[in-house]
Amino acid sequence: MLLILGLLGGASAQPQAAPTLNLMPWPANVQQGSGALKIDESFRVTFTGHTESRLDRAGQRFMERLHKQTGILFTNLGGDTAKATLVVHTDKASKQIQELGEDESYTLEVTPQGAKLNAANPLGVLRGLQTFLQLVDVSPDGFEAPAVSIKDQPRFPWRGLMIDSSRHFTPLDVLKRNLDGMEAVKLNVFHWHISDNQGFRAESKKFPKLQGAGSEGMYYTQEEIRDVIAYARDRGLRVVPEFDMPGHSTSWLAGYPEFASGPGPFSVDQGWGVMDPAMDPTNEKLYKFLDGFIGEMAKLFPDHYFHIGGDEVNGKAWDANPKIQEFKKAHNLKTNEELQAYFSGRVQKLVNKHGKATIGWDEIFVSGAPKDIVIHSWRGPKSLAAAAKQGYQGILSNGYYIDLMWSAARHYAVDPLGGDAAALSPEEQKRVLGGEATMWSEYVNWENIDSRIWPRTAAIAERFWSPQSVTDVNSMYSRLEDASQKLEWTGLTHKTYYRKMLQRIAGAATADEFSALKTLVDVLEPVKNYTREETATYHPTNFTPLNRVVDTASPESDVARHFDNAVTAFVSGSCKDTAASAHLRTWLLKWQANDAALQPLEQRSSFVKEVAINSQDLSAIAGIGLAALDAIAKGTSLTDEEKTQATARIADANKGKAQLLLIPAATIQKLVDAAASGGACTAKN
Ligand code: ACM
């Protein structure tokens, strides 16, 4: 039997629906062996081959993580190679400044006797150490890592996470724990959206009014920025700064109104949206200023790529300025797009002059643009494919906007080489460098940002790292739950924030009341896309507290997903599984009774009161679900009228209320459909 299992395991290069290994991202090649390596206090790691202080620190962090994951106090850190449990061999150094496309491959062999990690350079070692940490789990025999042979390398060389530190300032400790999370899932680019209308967050020594007038005191000093870059380098992450221009630039103009297209004065925006102010592309002094500024930042940020933004210039400030209109005529620039292309061209030359290559959003992709720019596609995969056809490199963020509150599965289904890019030639496809998840920060702060990034970004990281054929959603979710737990050992708070925020909302609640609140919020998700913006009853700003249920509820309800899986399985088995039916009933009874348990708290907390409507809906649809189960159990059908009524009530509950969606509504509709005349589970089917 063991032998058969071993053989079956050995044959599976793909994660199965019920995987035995909780790895994320799934490696390029995995062969499971038999037995396991015990992890106890005698565990030690040693490094051979090329050495450098970064590897020493990686070894220390590895042992700290292993301690946190297991609770074991390790007695001996390093030393004698012959006695080491894990021997790490590094062939040679990586580049002094991490480059796009550097080798990140590694091999990892784990046997009951010991483990070996080999890599060409420290980047592969960093990736492999994370794989080892993911393998370690509790077993009937204490902690162990299963025997396995892994040969791994990434599919795409650019695997990023963008964090918007402008709309809400990201404190340094919050940034760093997210860089740790990035390392854990083998991402390699931290794209730092560091200036926008709402704040200029980087210190310029040449032009101190940038942060002086543009940040309300919340900015990163150059020393702090160097610290973040060093921290990132230790984790195998490049740091690509984005200074968004010529739009999204109110915060620049607060200190330097002379570079604006319209009359000042300007002050940083506190609300969201596309704003009118823009730099004046016709002002020669602007380019002199940008030359100095880009020169300063090019020294501060060592990465080869420099992101100039370029998105969403609405042109109103240009249209309103007669001098700019004259300039357009004189230079035969027919449209504002052509004017922006002129600006981008000038800026790209400055970026080149300071030794860097330009990356920018879709809008910088215009005919005649120099071929060394990278197109960052946010509007759709079409432009990425078009750019690749014309010889431009690009990365994809459309489909990876994690601020839109989509499910992990929905992001996971988006492939940088999907859509129009699927039809590209192999050579053109190589120009698609990868992608980035984007954490726009209108509705995130230090407290809930982790929960909006993780764990969903782990699924996106798998899309960027793992072979294209790794697409099984059930496997992804199964591994994601484990990955999510392990991610908290890096210091991330995407699970623990929840109880704290609920406690603030609940105030002095009884245990039963708190439990009822949690039961409700567990099945709510914030509304999707830009609905929160569209349904706001007040004008939200970056001073608006983020302390409501909508700020607390997870972007994706695990409870609702499990319930949906259970209902789907029950219905597809023609509702014959009585144990499954009993299980669903337990769920529904709890939900039905929940509103009564929560009501006292609605009187004492305004935040709970706001979701009273959602609570009533949950109770009502749970009752409908129970009636459907009753009909199925009795072998009767819901009448047409009963079905119509139930469907209308569910549809009402399925509307966003208090900017929240009640996720089980759609699932309960499945039960109603199954129980109604002619449905999957009625006598007449
Ligand atoms: C963007 O979302 N405006 C890049």
Side-chain angles (χ1 to χ4, degrees):
M1 185 61 187
L2 275 178
L3 186 66
I4 292 167
L5 283 176
L7 284 174
L8 283 175
S12 75
Q14 288 273 323
Q16 302 302 306
T20 49
L21 296 174
N22 279 317
L23 296 173
M24 181 165 275
W26 190 256
N29 298 281
V30 187
Q31 300 285 321
Q32 269 183 263
S34 51
L37 175 64
K38 204 165 169 48
I39 310 288
D40 60 21
E41 66 280 1
S42 70
F43 184 95
R44 55 168 95 169
V45 58
T46 190
F47 289 76
T48 66
H50 167 77
T51 58
E52 60 179 74
S53 63
R54 178 165 62 152
L55 286 169
D56 299 340
R57 290 191 294 276
Q60 264 161 24
R61 278 187 290 123
F62 172 81
M63 291 307 296
E64 278 165 27
R65 276 281 301 286
L66 200 56
H67 163 64
K68 285 184 181 162
Q69 254 178 254
T70 62
I72 297 170
L73 289 163
F74 298 99
T75 49
N76 191 332
L77 310 167
D80 189 351
T81 308
K83 293 198 184 127
T85 329
L86 170 61
V87 179
V88 179
H89 181 84
T90 314
D91 286 349
K92 57 182 191 330
S94 60
K95 296 277 166 56
Q96 208 52 42
I97 294 163
Q98 193 174 324
E99 284 179 13
L100 174 68
E102 270 194 83
D103 192 344
E104 296 175 84
S105 67
Y106 68 92
T107 61
L108 177 64
E109 299 279 344
V110 181
T111 71
Q113 288 72 45
K116 281 199 185 73
L117 168 61
N118 290 326
N121 70 49
L123 296 174
V125 169
L126 294 171
R127 308 299 173 238
L129 287 174
Q130 294 303 318
T131 303
F132 189 91
L133 287 168
Q134 290 179 10
L135 286 171
V136 175
D137 246 317
V138 72
S139 79
D141 198 21
F143 284 93
E144 56 185 37
V148 72
S149 172
I150 291 172
K151 193 171 179 311
D152 201 10
Q153 75 278 329
R155 177 173 168 221
F156 291 108
W158 190 306
R159 307 180 307 279
L161 169 65
M162 189 212 78
I163 294 179
D164 170 6
S165 293
S166 178
R167 290 179 176 86
H168 278 95
F169 181 71
T170 328
L172 280 177
D173 61 324
V174 177
L175 266 186
K176 286 183 174 178
R177 71 188 185 216
N178 279 286
L179 298 184
D180 283 312
M182 291 176 69
E183 180 193 25
V185 299
K186 301 180 173 59
L187 291 173
N188 68 357
V189 180
F190 168 43
H191 166 181
W192 204 350
H193 187 82
I194 203 165
S195 78
D196 208 308
N197 296 319
Q198 295 78 3
F200 195 98
R201 308 278 182 216
E203 178 191 29
S204 168
K205 293 191 197 283
K206 270 199 169 119
F207 304 103
K209 282 189 285 182
L210 283 170
Q211 73 275 9
S215 74
E216 296 176 311
M218 284 179 288
Y219 65 91
Y220 307 97
T221 65
Q222 295 203 352
E223 196 178 332
E224 287 170 335
I225 289 169
R226 276 190 282 272
D227 178 43
V228 168
I229 292 166
Y231 194 90
R233 175 171 169 80
D234 260 9
R235 286 149 184 79
L237 310 170
R238 297 165 43 213
V239 179
V240 175
E242 177 187 354
F243 293 97
D244 208 343
M245 58 182 107
H248 283 282
S249 60
T250 316
S251 66
W252 307 57
L253 305 175
Y256 297 92
E258 60 270 36
F259 301 128
S261 301
F266 299 90
S267 56
V268 289
D269 289 305
Q270 285 164 352
W272 329 129
V274 176
M275 312 296 184
D276 299 343
M279 295 173 185
D280 177 0
T282 71
N283 182 350
E284 275 308 310
K285 290 196 186 116
L286 170 67
Y287 298 107
K288 194 158 182 305
F289 159 77
L290 287 176
D291 187 9
F293 174 74
I294 293 170
E296 183 185 15
M297 291 302 129
K299 285 201 189 75
L300 181 60
F301 290 92
D303 198 78
H304 184 59
Y305 288 89
F306 195 89
H307 204 305
I308 63 166
D311 54 321
E312 297 184 305
V313 185
N314 69 13
K316 287 188 189 167
W318 294 346
D319 292 342
N321 184 331
K323 195 182 105 248
I324 294 177
Q325 296 305 309
E326 271 168 40
F327 181 94
K328 279 170 70 179
K329 274 199 207 94
H331 289 76
N332 197 25
L333 302 168
K334 286 181 208 64
T335 62
N336 284 337
E337 286 70 34
E338 289 182 16
L339 181 60
Q340 184 173 349
Y342 166 81
F343 170 82
S344 301
R346 296 283 304 262
V347 174
Q348 282 150 22
K349 285 203 183 73
L350 296 175
V351 170
N352 290 154
K353 172 181 162 188
H354 295 290
K356 310 276 172 168
T358 299
I359 170 167
W361 299 105
D362 281 316
E363 286 90 334
I364 73 162
F365 172 45
V366 290
S367 70
K371 288 282 151 80
D372 68 337
I373 64 172
V374 175
I375 311 300
H376 190 171
S377 175
W378 70 281
R379 295 197 290 205
K382 262 190 172 14
S383 63
L384 191 63
K389 254 193 180 345
Q390 293 180 35
Y392 294 93
Q393 294 187 316
I395 62 172
L396 184 67
S397 275
N398 181 275
Y400 305 123
Y401 266 42
I402 49 179
D403 60 315
L404 301 186
M405 304 285 177
W406 295 3
S407 67
R410 189 165 171 194
H411 290 302
Y412 194 63
V414 177
D415 193 293
L417 290 177
D420 286 12
L424 295 173
S425 73
E427 182 162 355
E428 290 162 348
Q429 287 195 341
K430 279 209 194 79
R431 297 187 191 127
V432 177
L433 303 173
E436 286 185 2
T438 50
M439 184 71 268
W440 300 104
S441 67
E442 281 87 346
Y443 298 108
V444 298
N445 63 6
W446 62 274
E447 189 172 30
N448 69 353
I449 188 171
D450 295 6
S451 73
R452 274 59 185 140
I453 298 176
W454 310 103
R456 293 175 303 150
T457 295
I460 297 173
E462 174 156 293
R463 178 59 50 241
F464 297 158
W465 177 282
S466 303
Q468 188 168 16
S469 56
V470 176
T471 53
D472 187 302
V473 170
N474 291 329
S475 164
M476 180 275 284
Y477 274 121
S478 157
R479 290 177 292 113
L480 190 65
E481 287 190 14
D482 183 79
S484 184
Q485 275 164 26
K486 290 216 173 92
L487 275 166
E488 280 223 328
W489 296 120
T490 67
L492 284 165
T493 62
H494 56 284
K495 291 172 82 75
T496 52
Y497 86 104
Y498 186 64
R499 176 163 289 273
K500 285 186 176 170
M501 287 187 72
L502 281 184
Q503 268 164 355
R504 180 197 289 141
I505 285 167
T510 65
D512 283 351
E513 287 164 350
F514 185 81
S515 166
L517 176 63
K518 183 172 178 304
T519 296
L520 172 64
V521 182
D522 276 354
V523 293
L524 297 175
E525 293 177 7
V527 285
K528 312 292 160 185
N529 302 322
Y530 297 105
T531 309
R532 182 162 179 183
E533 208 67 55
E534 291 150 15
T535 56
T537 53
Y538 53 88
H539 183 59
T541 74
N542 49 16
F543 283 90
T544 308
L546 298 177
N547 55 6
R548 297 161 56 210
V549 173
V550 64
D551 301 305
T552 308
S554 171
E556 184 168 18
S557 162
D558 286 337
V559 174
R561 184 167 48 79
H562 290 301
F563 177 67
D564 188 67
N565 286 343
V567 166
T568 302
F570 176 66
V571 170
S572 65
S574 301
C575 308
K576 294 203 169 60
D577 185 340
T578 50
S581 171
H583 187 48
L584 295 178
R585 195 174 283 279
T586 310
W587 240 312
L588 292 166
L589 285 169
K590 180 175 163 184
W591 288 340
Q592 189 184 36
N594 199 61
D595 186 48
L598 190 60
Q599 274 174 15
L601 200 54
E602 290 166 6
Q603 307 309 313
R604 302 203 305 275
S605 164
S606 59
F607 299 102
V608 179
K609 189 170 178 181
E610 189 188 8
V611 295
I613 182 80
N614 311 78
S615 177
Q616 289 153 20
D617 282 351
L618 178 61
S619 192
I621 63 168
I624 292 171
L626 285 165
L629 281 181
D630 284 344
I632 288 166
K634 285 198 213 111
T636 59
S637 289
L638 296 179
T639 64
D640 286 351
E641 195 191 331
E642 284 167 337
K643 182 183 174 185
T644 303
Q645 273 182 12
T647 301
R649 183 65 187 89
I650 290 170
D652 179 60
N654 208 9
K655 286 189 207 141
K657 296 181 186 176
Q659 301 184 317
L660 290 155
L661 295 170
L662 182 61
I663 305 304
T667 305
I668 289 172
Q669 183 67 48
K670 293 183 191 173
L671 274 181
V672 168
D673 291 345
S677 172
C681 305
T682 57
K684 291 194 198 115
N685 80 14

